[in-house]
Amino acid sequence: MNLASIIDGHPDDAIALISRGRETTYGELREQVDRTRGGFASIGLAEGDRIAFMCGNGRPFVVAYLAAVGLGAVVVPLNPLSPAPELEAEIAKVRAKVVLIEQLSSASWANVDRDKVPSVETVVTTESTDHGGPTDAVHLDELLRSDPVDRVEVEADQLAVLIFTSGTAGSPKAAKLTHHNLLSSMTQSLSNPDSIGAGDIVYGVLPLFHIFGLNIVLGLGLRVGATIILVQRFDPLTAAETIRDRKVTIVPGAPSMWTAFAHFDELAADTFATVRRALSGAARLPIPVAERMKERFGVEILEGYGLTEASPTVTTQVGEVVRFGSVGRALDGVEVRLVNKDGDALVGDVGEIWVRGDNVFAGYFEDPEATAAVLTEDGWLQTGDMAICDDDGYLYLVDRAKDLVIVSGFNVYPAEVEEVLARHPDVAEVGVVGVPHPHTGEAVKAFVVAKEGADVDEETLIEFACDHLARYKCPNKIMFVSALPRNASGKLVRRNLADAMAAQ
């Protein structure tokens, strides 16, 4: 088997991708992938090697992704807008041999200390030096002109992708996703009778470095022979025009996207006339947003639940009746349990979501302790997310992994942000929580105890955080306080943080 086989068997003249206004057929895509695979082999990329991607949504990402996994290499998709320190840590963690960059990430890469990523032997760029590409890089177009190389057959448990995630607790870790994991998740999604098909046109704005975008929008879309419109950045007006003009039929998105559509009064009532499936995931969808989309546009948003460690989909809405507030039922081939201190939770009782199936990941890269904390011996993934279940098997999320903040569908762990802010010389203590935000669902808020005699302000600390973290992880509000709420053992109690500060 090999994940790269998903583009086989489709008509040569069928449109696979639309990127920056350019159409790529399945026949063209297969040829480009085969030649790029030969190019990667020529620079020494081999089975088991890691290649880090710092690319936005576009044809180069897709071609390179399929070429690399087709060689048996392991793709590590990274946020191209992450600051240099974060990229250094992630690239060093997986010991990437090759790094693929584009204009979007050139500035970040230019600030990377190459001595901190000694494993990197080759940099491949999608841009010429005239457009910001580094002078010591190999251009992707050069690799695309190589002689084609056949796809290799791999074992089911061979790694295909490493995706950094905060997991169910702690700092970011690299989740190991095998060829079998990713292909199984696609097969499970296809058990839904209303799933994506060959005639569909998919709006692909979800970032490909996120598992929802990578394996559902891109992977599943290519597997069934659909057309995927790849979009770098979301703008509600431009998105609406694309959906209408391209007659888009499938629109997957995070709640922040649907919130923007729901409150954009200038959109015409027929904007989504061709859309047959509107999907939401990565965070809880506010019920008022779902109701407003149905009222204004006749769009019923189907909410699902998943996580990186499940490749990603666990549940989705099925059938003719949409249950607002529910993330649906388990897909065929996916087992779900709700577990509390008494064992399996009864209908209507809160329990932690446990998941088992061929889609469940192979653990965290070189971190057996973290892996053992979330995977039971008999294969159950303990998600840390809390839910209740009704008589029909529909899940309703009531909480999520302890302390997790979700900003526009991306996981932010307070401990990571606190660690960065605590490095500032004027900070004595810091506590971080998530607060409601009208556009991103949640935002990061920090409570800071400054060192005695220090002269530091909010803007300074936010800028400091942005120098070390991806923008979505940075606080957009900092409150200076005299003390943080702690329990008897001195541990910070985040759930009491906002209330305690409000009472001061």
Side-chain angles (χ1 to χ4, degrees):
M1 67 160 54
N2 193 300
L3 178 67
S5 65
I6 58 176
I7 56 174
D8 291 352
H10 307 311
D12 283 348
D13 59 352
I15 304 300
L17 306 173
I18 301 175
S19 178
R20 300 182 183 179
R22 172 182 172 180
E23 295 182 349
T24 301
T25 67
Y26 275 93
E28 292 169 336
L29 181 59
R30 284 190 285 266
E31 181 179 0
Q32 291 169 13
V33 169
D34 289 348
R35 291 188 177 278
T36 303
R37 188 180 300 125
F40 278 150
S42 73
I43 62 173
L45 189 68
E47 193 167 336
D49 289 337
R50 271 80 69 189
I51 173 171
F53 281 27
M54 296 164 53
C55 301
N57 290 13
R59 183 182 59 85
F61 185 112
V62 180
V63 171
Y65 174 56
L66 295 170
V69 296
L71 275 177
V74 182
V75 172
V76 188
L78 304 177
N79 183 344
L81 297 179
S82 291
E86 190 168 320
L87 294 169
E88 289 169 358
E90 292 172 340
I91 293 169
K93 170 70 175 178
V94 301
R95 299 186 298 282
K97 184 176 184 179
V98 178
V99 173
L100 174 67
I101 68 171
E102 64 175 4
Q103 186 175 6
L104 194 64
S105 58
S106 292
S108 293
W109 178 252
N111 291 320
V112 166
D113 184 347
R114 291 292 293 271
D115 290 338
K116 294 183 178 179
V117 288
S119 62
V120 177
E121 297 179 3
T122 307
V123 178
V124 179
T125 180
T126 67
E127 306 291 339
S128 68
T129 54
D130 294 337
H131 293 85
T135 56
D136 62 342
V138 177
H139 199 284
L140 186 64
D141 282 352
E142 294 178 27
L143 304 183
L144 196 124
R145 292 191 287 269
S146 302
D147 291 333
V149 166
D150 290 339
R151 188 172 60 236
V152 303
E153 290 294 311
V154 299
E155 297 297 324
D157 61 355
Q158 181 157 326
L159 289 187
V161 173
L162 287 169
I163 291 190
F164 277 91
T165 173
S166 295
T168 61
S171 59
K173 306 168 183 65
K176 300 191 296 184
L177 301 175
T178 69
H179 287 254
H180 184 59
N181 289 153
L182 296 165
L183 289 169
S184 294
S185 182
M186 296 179 203
T187 300
Q188 291 160 356
S189 293
L190 290 173
S191 68
N192 184 340
D194 295 325
S195 184
I196 184 175
D200 281 313
I201 300 173
V202 185
Y203 184 68
V205 71
L206 286 167
L208 297 180
F209 61 81
H210 189 283
I211 186 62
F212 191 178
L214 183 69
N215 205 47
I216 298 303
V217 177
L218 179 65
L220 183 59
L222 291 178
R223 178 167 174 173
V224 300
T227 298
I228 303 164
I229 302 173
L230 294 170
V231 181
Q232 285 269 22
R233 297 178 182 86
F234 175 72
D235 169 76
L237 180 58
T238 304
E241 291 173 346
T242 299
I243 291 168
R244 183 189 63 237
D245 297 345
R246 292 285 188 178
K247 296 180 171 56
V248 169
T249 60
I250 308 286
V251 183
S256 55
M257 181 188 79
W258 295 115
T259 300
F261 282 143
H263 294 95
F264 195 175
D265 294 335
E266 289 78 9
L267 295 186
D270 64 350
T271 297
F272 303 94
T274 61
V275 175
R276 70 175 190 84
R277 283 181 67 80
L279 308 174
S280 184
R284 291 177 67 179
L285 178 69
I287 292 177
V289 170
E291 292 173 338
R292 186 170 173 83
M293 285 298 297
K294 182 176 181 180
E295 178 184 345
R296 286 191 64 196
F297 305 109
V299 173
E300 291 193 316
I301 301 174
L302 307 176
E303 190 174 4
Y305 165 74
L307 62 165
T308 301
E309 291 88 343
S311 306
T313 310
V314 174
T315 67
T316 189
Q317 294 257 13
V318 295
E320 297 180 357
V321 178
V322 176
R323 306 188 186 197
F324 291 152
S326 172
V327 293
R329 295 185 297 189
L331 293 170
D332 289 353
V334 180
E335 296 179 77
V336 172
R337 296 169 60 191
L338 296 185
V339 180
N340 58 27
K341 60 182 177 58
D342 299 319
D344 287 334
L346 300 175
V347 171
D349 288 344
V350 175
E352 180 187 7
I353 302 173
W354 286 23
V355 180
R356 186 166 66 179
D358 290 342
N359 57 315
V360 171
F361 80 144
Y364 297 113
F365 183 72
E366 296 183 347
D367 197 337
E369 183 177 343
T371 299
V374 299
L375 280 180
T376 68
E377 291 184 359
D378 53 351
W380 287 99
L381 168 64
Q382 303 168 83
T383 70
D385 296 320
M386 310 302 287
I388 61 174
C389 180
D390 66 18
D391 290 328
D392 297 322
Y394 280 76
L395 289 187
Y396 298 79
L397 297 178
V398 297
D399 203 350
R400 46 181 183 261
K402 185 180 179 182
D403 297 331
L404 180 65
V405 182
I406 299 183
V407 179
S408 295
F410 295 102
N411 290 357
V412 180
Y413 264 84
E416 183 185 10
V417 184
E418 289 165 358
E419 180 182 357
V420 168
L421 288 174
R423 295 177 197 160
H424 194 280
D426 292 328
V427 172
E429 291 185 287
V430 57
V432 167
V433 296
V435 294
H437 190 281
H439 303 301
T440 61
E442 284 188 303
V444 176
K445 183 174 183 177
F447 297 87
V448 170
V449 179
K451 289 184 178 178
E452 186 174 355
D455 183 16
V456 63
D457 57 25
E458 180 181 46
E459 183 177 357
T460 298
L461 290 184
I462 291 176
E463 289 178 355
F464 181 83
C466 289
D467 287 339
H468 296 84
L469 294 168
R471 185 64 189 89
Y472 69 87
K473 296 180 181 179
C474 296
N476 61 3
K477 183 67 178 176
I478 292 179
M479 179 178 290
F480 290 91
V481 296
S482 59
L484 301 180
R486 298 185 179 277
N487 62 18
S489 63
K491 184 177 180 180
L492 176 67
V493 184
R494 291 194 184 91
R495 65 179 178 272
N496 296 338
L497 189 54
D499 291 340
M501 295 309 105
Q504 284 197 349

